[in-house]
């Protein structure tokens, strides 16, 4: 006998929960790809993505997962043999760098600080030594979905400015857009990459790139451009070329709905919701950590992402706990990924279409599992989470009065 039956909770950091309204928007027959409605859907999504990226630059939609947008960003703005600097802080920037190597770019990795965000001083120092401007682009993630770290993008931009370096700044926001504040233009990010299936609440299969004037200027001389990813083809007037072929209609219907939902809620409210749910999660983990083997993966509180929390279980196999959560209680918690933590930790997603019962339910189930399996942990994590949420919400209420 289990208490699993009922609605299964997906609490992994991507794909995330797809809202019923998004699913409903996709549940319809295909339409003529040349129809006014299809054209309007594409054009309004391209426009509204600018509001989410916070840019006046150009936006592009690809029928591809996040890896596709990575390739689009690189091939549109760089040339074979160009040097790029990858800022390590987990797994994802490294994989982006691996893709760059295979495309024929010359990749250098700025070593990571263990369990920390990228160090802006180290970036400034490295760029200051690049007097002849060999480095053409700096590649970083805002949130690394393995380590659970968030980088300070304005501080990284400032480090580049302080070094007087004119490399393009390319930021992967796949695990942060629609979750945490991101200001492409105000932070002077040149190329931004995003995906549909995390904070944007759409099934996997779409990804997005935004490019500013500087990136579009570099694009003119880039020699790795291929027809499918090509910004120039997509900037033309012909709707068919906005997708370089048949529009991914149903994913676009879903995206249209999710953008409406985000803009209706308001970006500030969306990021505030993520902050409160992340704070509650961190309160629970801090409690569990007091008396046992569990601890937060990222050591500095200010460097912990609001879209997911990565927990280490030092010396303890995480598989039985994750199996308990899934098989007994119907909650799928994310496995830990990365060389030093794989199998010995887990990731709690609080990303996209999540609210208080989803996060409190997940935390309650994890705490149930810790207790049922006799894993040493500080008691009262769920209580700490509810108190964190209560304090934030009562403060919000009194501010509103
Ligand atoms: C999920 C993710 C990716 C990869 O996206 P796919 O859609 O799986 O290709 C890249 N970067 C970050 C930060 C991610 O979270």
């Amino acid at each position: 006998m289990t208490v699993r039956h009922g609605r299964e909770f997906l609490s992994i950091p991507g794909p995330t929960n797809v809202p019923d309204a998004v699913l409903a928007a996709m549940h319809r027959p295909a339409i003529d790809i040349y129809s006014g409605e299809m054209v309007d859907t594409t054009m309004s999504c391209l426009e509204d993505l600018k509001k989410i990226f916070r840019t006046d630059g150009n936006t592009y939609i690809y029928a591809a997962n996040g890896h596709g947008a990575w390739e689009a960003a690189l091939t549109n703005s760089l040339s074979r043999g160009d040097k790029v600097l990858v800022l390590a802080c987990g797994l994802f920037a490294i994989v982006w760098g691996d893709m760059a190597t295979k495309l024929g770019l010359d990749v250098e990795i700025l070593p990571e600080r263990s369990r920390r965000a990228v160090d802006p001083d180290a970036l400034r120092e490295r760029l200051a030594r690049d007097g002849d401007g060999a480095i053409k682009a700096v590649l970083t993630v805002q949130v690394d979905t393995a380590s659970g770290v968030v980088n300070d993008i304005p501080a990284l931009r400032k480090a580049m400015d302080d070094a007087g370096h004119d490399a393009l700044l390319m930021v992967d926001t796949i695990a942060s857009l629609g979750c945490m504040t991101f200001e492409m233009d105000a932070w002077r990010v040149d190329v931004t990459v995003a995906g549909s299936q995390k904070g944007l609440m759409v099934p996997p299969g779409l990804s997005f790139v935004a490019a500013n004037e500087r990136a579009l200027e570099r694009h003119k001389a880039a020699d790795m451009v291929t027809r499918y990813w090509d910004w120039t083809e997509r900037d033309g007037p012909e709707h068919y070329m906005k997708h370089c072929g048949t529009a991914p209609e149903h994913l676009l219907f879903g995206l249209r709905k999710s953008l409406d939902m985000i803009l209706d809620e308001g970006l500030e409210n969306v990021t505030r919701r993520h902050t409160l749910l992340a704070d509650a999660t961190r309160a629970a983990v801090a409690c569990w950590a007091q008396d046992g083997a569990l601890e937060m993966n990222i050591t500095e509180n200010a460097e912990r992402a609001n879209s997911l929390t990565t927990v280490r279980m030092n010396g303890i196999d995480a598989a039985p706990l994750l199996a308990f959560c899934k098989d007994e209680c119907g909650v799928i918690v994310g496995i830990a990924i990365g060389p030093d933590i794989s199998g010995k930790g887990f990731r709690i997603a609080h990303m996209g279409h999540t609210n208080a019962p989803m996060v409190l339910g997940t935390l309650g189930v994890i705490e149930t599992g810790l207790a049922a399996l006799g894993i040493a942990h500080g008691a009262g994590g769920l209580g700490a989470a509810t108190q964190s949420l209560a304090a934030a919400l009562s403060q919000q209420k009194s501010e509103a009065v």
Side-chain angles (χ1 to χ4, degrees):
M1 204 193 72
T2 71
V3 288
R4 166 164 69 86
H5 297 279
R7 187 165 191 150
E8 190 169 81
F9 261 31
L10 188 63
S11 182
I12 64 172
T16 60
N17 289 287
V18 180
D20 291 346
V22 170
L23 291 174
M26 297 173 68
H27 191 121
R28 54 177 292 189
I31 61 174
D32 174 11
I33 48 171
Y34 304 107
S35 74
E37 187 192 351
M38 196 65 251
V39 175
D40 291 348
T41 302
T42 298
M43 299 315 287
S44 72
C45 286
L46 287 169
E47 273 313 302
D48 285 349
L49 280 168
K50 295 183 189 183
K51 298 177 189 162
I52 312 286
F53 281 119
R54 307 274 297 155
T55 185
D56 292 329
N58 289 4
T59 45
Y60 304 93
I61 299 173
Y62 295 102
N65 62 15
H67 283 67
W70 274 347
E71 187 160 320
L74 297 171
T75 56
N76 271 294
S77 50
L78 296 163
S79 293
R80 260 174 213 86
D82 277 356
K83 190 175 182 104
V84 300
L85 183 66
V86 171
L87 311 184
C89 61
L91 272 191
F92 286 84
I94 300 288
V95 182
W96 195 7
D98 184 50
M99 173 179 275
T101 301
K102 288 183 174 143
L103 285 167
L105 294 160
D106 174 14
V107 175
E108 177 178 327
I109 294 174
L110 189 76
E112 81 173 71
R113 289 192 290 181
S114 177
R115 300 169 62 186
R116 294 279 317 263
V118 174
D119 179 4
D121 290 335
L123 174 61
R124 179 174 36 76
E125 188 274 324
R126 175 63 191 91
L127 292 178
R129 285 193 284 111
D130 185 43
D132 55 357
I135 296 169
K136 300 300 178 201
V138 171
L139 274 49
T140 187
V141 295
Q142 185 177 21
V143 165
D144 184 276
T145 326
S147 64
V149 83
V150 60
N151 285 310
D152 184 344
I153 303 297
L156 298 178
R157 173 79 254 179
K158 183 169 184 305
M160 295 174 70
D161 293 344
D162 289 350
H165 204 286
D166 78 341
L168 293 175
L169 174 58
M170 298 193 185
V171 181
D172 169 345
T173 63
I174 294 176
S176 52
L177 201 71
C179 306
M180 301 189 73
T181 300
F182 181 75
E183 294 280 345
M184 176 159 170
D185 287 0
W187 296 352
R188 289 185 302 115
V189 173
D190 298 300
V191 180
T192 309
V193 167
S196 57
Q197 79 275 23
K198 309 230 172 137
L200 299 184
M201 315 183 291
V202 179
L206 290 183
S207 55
F208 316 104
V209 175
N212 72 4
E213 280 297 324
R214 250 161 58 84
L216 293 168
E217 194 53 42
R218 302 275 181 103
H219 170 65
K220 291 179 187 160
D223 76 5
M224 296 199 298
V225 178
T226 64
R227 189 168 186 274
Y228 184 72
W229 308 117
D230 190 356
W231 291 341
T232 300
E233 293 275 7
R234 287 165 185 260
D235 282 339
E238 201 191 324
H239 176 258
Y240 188 75
M241 286 312 297
K242 301 277 171 211
H243 301 288
C244 193
T246 305
E249 296 190 331
H250 292 81
L251 287 169
L252 292 168
F253 298 147
L255 175 65
R256 184 57 269 160
K257 187 64 184 182
S258 83
L259 292 173
D260 288 341
M261 289 174 72
I262 291 170
L263 295 171
D264 283 350
E265 185 178 352
L267 266 182
E268 267 183 40
N269 295 326
V270 171
T271 52
R272 170 114 179 108
R273 174 164 55 80
H274 282 83
T275 304
L276 298 191
L277 296 173
D279 282 342
T281 305
R282 290 187 284 255
V285 176
C287 209
W288 297 334
Q290 269 169 21
D291 229 344
L294 272 62
E295 61 171 325
M296 296 287 297
N297 183 48
I298 297 304
T299 55
E300 303 298 309
N301 195 46
E303 297 174 2
R304 292 169 182 158
N306 285 345
S307 38
L308 81 153
T309 297
T310 303
V311 181
R312 302 178 80 89
M313 299 174 69
N314 292 322
I316 298 175
D317 179 10
L321 176 65
L322 299 188
F324 178 94
C325 292
K326 178 168 187 269
D327 300 338
E328 302 293 335
C329 297
V331 174
I332 303 170
V333 178
I335 56 168
I337 52 175
D340 65 326
I341 193 175
S342 177
K344 298 187 188 63
F346 55 90
R347 294 176 300 158
I348 306 167
H350 26 84
M351 185 192 295
H353 193 58
T354 37
N355 61 11
M358 290 162 135
V359 170
L360 294 175
T362 298
L363 296 172
V365 161
I366 293 170
E367 193 163 293
T368 305
L370 292 170
L373 299 175
I375 298 170
H377 66 285
L382 186 58
T386 60
Q387 278 169 29
S388 161
L389 209 48
L393 293 175
S394 65
Q395 188 191 348
Q396 187 166 303
K397 254 189 143 199
S398 62
E399 277 165 11
V401 170

